[in-house]
Amino acid sequence: MGESVDFLKSLDEAMGLSEVDLREYSPLVLAYIGDAIYELIIRTVLVKKSHGTVQQLHRRASALVKASAQAELIEKIQPFLTEEEQRVYKRGRNAKSYTKAKNATMIDYRKATGMEALAGYLYLKKDTDRLLELIRMGLKKEQEPG
């Protein structure tokens, strides 16, 4: 097995990125990156745990990344969030988005946006251990991929 690589550190170095104060990001920008990171995590878990066609993997991933599934996930983990994480989630949930929910209630869409903002925040904060802990907690039982 190879050495563990700090992906975010490598990314920063390779692309010449500097640290930014996370308070400067709007909650919708955090949700933008959080959406991508959450989907990447889900796809990675499915690919490594499952065998199937691309279409089967896509169906499973879509079921876990849709707004209603993200709303369920945040409801499961909300009691375990720190005060800081709660603030980030609520800022994302309450942000005025200019897009509307496709195939989701507005309540689920807002909760999902809050969850994505939290994921983006933890990712940019380089607290991937906490991000993965929360996602794992939220996926336990009936939603666990694989």
Side-chain angles (χ1 to χ4, degrees):
M1 291 270 268
E3 261 183 61
S4 176
V5 176
D6 185 342
F7 174 75
L8 295 173
K9 183 178 177 188
S10 297
L11 178 64
D12 285 352
E13 289 171 4
M15 299 298 171
L17 304 174
S18 57
E19 294 295 318
V20 177
D21 184 349
L22 293 177
R23 293 172 296 192
E24 293 181 18
Y25 290 113
S26 80
L28 294 178
V29 168
L30 293 173
Y32 171 76
I33 190 75
D35 175 54
I37 292 306
Y38 180 69
E39 184 154 356
L40 179 62
I41 291 166
I42 294 300
R43 286 182 181 209
T44 301
V45 169
L46 289 173
V47 165
K48 289 191 162 212
K49 279 190 160 189
S50 308
H51 298 289
T53 66
V54 172
Q55 288 130 334
Q56 291 168 329
L57 291 169
H58 176 73
R59 260 194 310 279
R60 289 183 198 137
S62 294
L64 291 168
V65 300
K66 65 184 179 180
S68 60
Q70 290 180 0
E72 275 183 45
L73 185 138
I74 195 68
E75 285 175 13
K76 285 183 184 178
I77 65 172
Q78 202 168 1
F80 305 100
L81 299 181
T82 66
E83 286 182 35
E84 173 188 10
E85 292 165 349
Q86 284 279 4
R87 278 193 303 274
V88 172
Y89 163 68
K90 287 178 180 177
R91 280 184 60 222
R93 183 195 64 197
N94 297 334
K96 299 292 182 225
S97 174
Y98 296 100
T99 59
K100 51 191 240 185
K102 293 185 302 190
N103 307 316
T105 67
M106 189 51 78
I107 291 170
D108 281 353
Y109 184 75
R110 289 189 178 280
K111 287 180 181 179
T113 302
M115 193 282 302
E116 291 169 348
L118 177 59
Y121 176 81
L122 291 171
Y123 171 74
L124 291 174
K125 186 181 172 191
K126 297 184 174 131
D127 197 351
T128 52
D129 287 343
R130 179 64 174 160
L131 174 59
L132 295 172
E133 175 187 15
L134 291 172
I135 291 173
R136 185 167 177 240
M137 200 183 300
L139 292 175
K140 280 214 186 256
K141 294 185 184 161
E142 67 276 2
Q143 278 194 327
E144 187 143 13

